[in-house]
Structure formats: C-alpha cells, structure tokens
Amino acid sequence: MPQYNARHNERSHYYNNVEGNQKGMILMGKAMTDLRKPDLYDLFNLHAKARGELVDTANQADAIFSLERGITPFDIELIMAEYVV
C-alpha cells in the first residue's frame, strides 16, 4: 500500500529491490571501488611507526616482516587478526 505525505499530498514510495534503490546501489559501488586499501609495505610501515621505530638490522627488531622469515605475506590469518583489524 502506498504511503501518503499529508503535507504535500504526494505519494512516497519505498522500494525493496535493486531497481528502486539504484541511486543507493551506485553510491555503494563507488564507495567500494574508490576505497584505497594499503599494500603490505604500507601496512607494516604504518604499524612500525605507530608502535615503535624502524631499525637498521633484523637483530635489533622485535618483529620482522619479510618474504623469507618472520611474518611473511603468506601469514594471512595473522596479518588480518593483528594488523588489519
């Protein structure tokens, strides 16, 4: 049943489908595609600056972000749990 606006005597329609919510869907799509996501280098660099300092050697480090040792790009669950959230 359509809703009536008593002030302006106009019908106001509420849509519960994609076609009716097209404007909102377009805005949501733009927000999702324009979102800038950091790469791992930026993520770990921000983490180091926020929680400590960058050091020159691995021996001085509390955490190592590397392809071969420490936290690697393949530690997806750890990265998501500790560094992204």
Side-chain angles (χ1 to χ4, degrees):
M1 173 179 234
Q3 302 290 323
Y4 291 95
N5 186 337
R7 289 188 200 162
H8 298 100
N9 200 16
E10 298 174 359
R11 289 181 177 213
S12 74
H13 297 279
Y14 297 97
Y15 298 102
N16 193 16
N17 58 30
V18 174
E19 183 179 347
N21 290 315
Q22 191 173 21
K23 200 180 276 187
M25 296 294 289
I26 291 170
L27 290 173
M28 185 62 73
K30 285 183 180 180
M32 292 176 72
T33 56
D34 292 343
L35 180 67
R36 185 185 178 283
K37 298 176 188 171
D39 55 22
L40 286 178
Y41 177 82
D42 291 338
L43 179 68
F44 293 147
N45 206 6
L46 288 169
H47 177 77
K49 289 178 181 177
R51 297 192 181 190
E53 61 182 331
L54 293 172
V55 294
D56 295 326
T57 65
N59 293 337
Q60 298 172 316
D62 293 328
I64 299 172
F65 305 106
S66 169
L67 289 173
E68 294 87 25
R69 62 186 178 137
I71 299 171
T72 71
F74 304 106
D75 296 324
I76 297 169
E77 293 86 11
L78 176 67
I79 294 168
M80 294 296 291
E82 298 291 327
Y83 301 99
V84 175
V85 177

